[in-house]
Amino acid sequence: GAVVSQHPSWVICKSGTSVKIECRSLDFQATTMFWYRQFPKQSLMLMATSNEGSKATYEQGVEKDKFLINHASLTLSTLTVTSAHPEDSSFYICSARAGDNEQFFGPGTRLTVL
Amino acid sequence: QKEVEQNSGPLSVPEGAIASLNCTYSDRVSQSFFWYRQYSGKSPELIMSIYSNGDKEDGRFTAQLNKASQYVSLLIRDSQPSDSATYLCAVTMYSSASKIIFGSGTRLSIRP
């Protein structure tokens, strides 16, 4: 099956610092990758859609200058949370899709900002 | 109207019974439909995909799609305590450039 990895699985950082999260499709080439955020007991919230070699498309209300997305290759996308604050603490999940087929999720990254 | 709607639950089902999860969607020309399972603190896991009207069976899971009624369901036979999770319905919306839209999920609890 399709495997998507994320790194790190959890991170604790100080307020004001930046955190980079990597998402990799291990056994397929992902034309599109997605970044989601999920707060406790809430549903997935799509933050942005990322296509290889082009700029990410951000959902309404998501600050593109705060959440930097780079999709440099068909197997790697990164999300950088810049100048993180405690309210950015959340579960960040990426997913990858090849063509119009199923979307597979990474295991998620739990971010805690102190 | 939400694009993908699910009853939030919790839905409580006795062990061994059939759990029935329902989902409706708003985009009449949607083409692809998925069911994901999410355990607490974990990311979603794809369990079923269905693309045409009718039933699709995979082990204890059966997905049912009715495009005329804009309705997709998931049946879990012989429910086990390990099936207790949140189930997310997801639909590819033609109107949003093939982006997959997720419902808010139904919490399923299987009681021993």
Side-chain angles (χ1 to χ4, degrees), chain A residues 6 34 36 38 42-44 46 49 59 91 93 97 100-108 110, chain B residues 32 34 36 38 41-46 49 51 56 88 92 97-100 102-105:
Chain A
Q6 265 184 259
F34 303 86
Y36 294 84
Q38 188 174 39
Q42 294 188 23
S43 60
L44 290 170
L46 178 65
T49 301
E59 295 300 301
F91 190 40
I93 313 172
R97 187 171 80 194
D100 289 332
N101 296 325
E102 294 94 343
Q103 191 170 316
F104 299 94
F105 285 87
R110 194 161 301 281
Chain B
S32 306
F34 310 94
Y36 288 83
Q38 186 176 24
K42 303 293 185 182
S43 66
E45 171 193 10
L46 179 66
S49 57
Y51 303 98
K56 179 181 178 182
L88 302 170
T92 300
S98 297
K99 187 167 58 179
I100 294 181
F102 286 85
S104 57

Side-chain angles (χ1 to χ4, degrees), chain A residues 14 16 22 38 62:
Chain A
K14 292 182 178 180
E22 290 187 352
Q38 188 174 39
V62 178

Side-chain angles (χ1 to χ4, degrees), chain A residues 18-81:
Chain A
S18 295
V19 174
K20 180 186 280 189
I21 303 170
E22 290 187 352
C23 177
R24 293 181 186 272
S25 56
L26 298 184
D27 52 0
F28 68 102
Q29 291 187 326
T31 51
T32 307
M33 288 185 169
F34 303 86
W35 287 96
Y36 294 84
R37 181 167 54 181
Q38 188 174 39
F39 293 106
K41 298 189 187 299
Q42 294 188 23
S43 60
L44 290 170
M45 187 194 84
L46 178 65
M47 299 175 68
T49 301
S50 168
N51 292 296
E52 184 263 340
S54 62
K55 289 184 179 179
T57 301
Y58 290 81
E59 295 300 301
Q60 193 172 10
V62 178
E63 300 174 58
K64 63 180 181 181
D65 294 330
K66 180 170 181 63
F67 299 99
L68 302 178
I69 292 172
N70 184 280
H71 193 159
S73 75
L74 285 171
T75 59
L76 173 64
S77 177
T78 60
L79 167 69
T80 301
V81 183

Side-chain angles (χ1 to χ4, degrees), chain B residues 2-55:
Chain B
K2 290 184 182 177
E3 293 173 299
V4 181
E5 291 207 57
Q6 295 181 255
N7 188 318
S8 62
L11 175 65
S12 181
V13 173
E15 185 175 356
I18 296 176
S20 177
L21 303 162
N22 304 314
C23 173
T24 57
Y25 57 95
S26 62
D27 190 339
R28 185 167 290 278
V29 295
S30 295
Q31 296 296 316
S32 306
F33 307 86
F34 310 94
W35 282 100
Y36 288 83
R37 176 177 61 199
Q38 186 176 24
Y39 293 113
S40 181
K42 303 293 185 182
S43 66
E45 171 193 10
L46 179 66
I47 54 174
M48 289 286 285
S49 57
I50 186 167
Y51 303 98
S52 55
N53 278 327
D55 294 1

